[in-house]
Amino acid sequence: MPEIVQLLASPVHRYGGRPADGPAPAPPDEIVEEVEIRAGLGIVGDRYFGRPAHRDASITLIARESLPPGADLTQVRRNVLTVGIAVDELVGSVLVLDSGQGPVSLRVRRAAPPCAWMDVAVGPGTWKALRRRGGIRCAPLTDGTLRVGPVEVAVLR
């Protein structure tokens, strides 16, 4: 069964400046067991919540299958880490996730290409390895809650 493995709602942008300088420190509570989503706004408490420039891409997902062993959301800075969902194939569709609190609909707007920070945050070669597998950027269509654990998935084309 598909699963949400990890959730990140971070109030800070950690990757600014040059990758060689390293990321800013992570807040201790950015990895959470559940996130609250608001239609058209994003994840409550996340750095991109309600920002006009990010409303069409305020929630990001990546598949654990795309990441090297040991990598997680604190390094790749996506919001939702899944297993068993081929997220990179969903651009242009609506992804509906239900982790037990009711369905949450996300319009998959575009791919989320990796940046040069991946070679610093995860390890050398990650930036290149994640090309076309860096996840997706979504706009939330409905309010709801996502939780870590099993998730029912529907894809509307």
Side-chain angles (χ1 to χ4, degrees):
M1 172 175 234
E3 188 177 342
I4 294 174
V5 178
Q6 195 176 43
L7 294 164
L8 179 138
S10 182
V12 298
H13 184 79
R14 294 184 50 226
Y15 295 166
R18 298 177 304 165
D21 296 335
D29 56 352
E30 67 182 1
I31 296 296
V32 295
E33 289 296 310
E34 72 177 37
V35 291
E36 190 177 334
I37 295 172
R38 294 288 169 252
L41 297 172
I43 295 174
V44 175
D46 190 68
R47 63 203 176 280
Y48 295 124
F49 181 78
R51 293 192 178 234
H54 294 278
R55 286 200 181 136
D56 279 346
S58 60
I59 299 177
T60 54
L61 288 82
I62 192 165
R64 182 173 67 186
E65 296 88 345
S66 295
L67 298 178
D72 69 8
L73 294 181
T74 61
Q75 297 163 307
V76 296
R77 309 307 292 164
R78 303 294 187 253
N79 300 115
V80 182
L81 180 63
T82 67
V83 66
I85 306 171
V87 298
D88 295 297
E89 300 170 8
L90 301 177
V91 174
S93 64
V94 173
L95 175 62
V96 183
L97 301 173
D98 188 340
S99 59
Q101 304 280 356
V104 174
S105 297
L106 306 171
R107 178 167 305 282
V108 184
R109 296 288 189 186
R110 61 186 182 271
C115 65
W117 277 95
M118 295 304 98
D119 284 349
V120 172
V122 180
T126 305
W127 180 26
K128 187 174 181 179
L130 285 180
R131 289 186 186 148
R132 290 177 292 286
R133 299 175 9 158
I136 52 177
R137 297 186 185 281
C138 305
L141 301 176
T142 59
D143 291 351
T145 302
L146 292 177
R147 297 182 57 92
V148 170
V151 64
E152 292 183 21
V153 178
V155 177
L156 310 174
R157 301 260 176 206

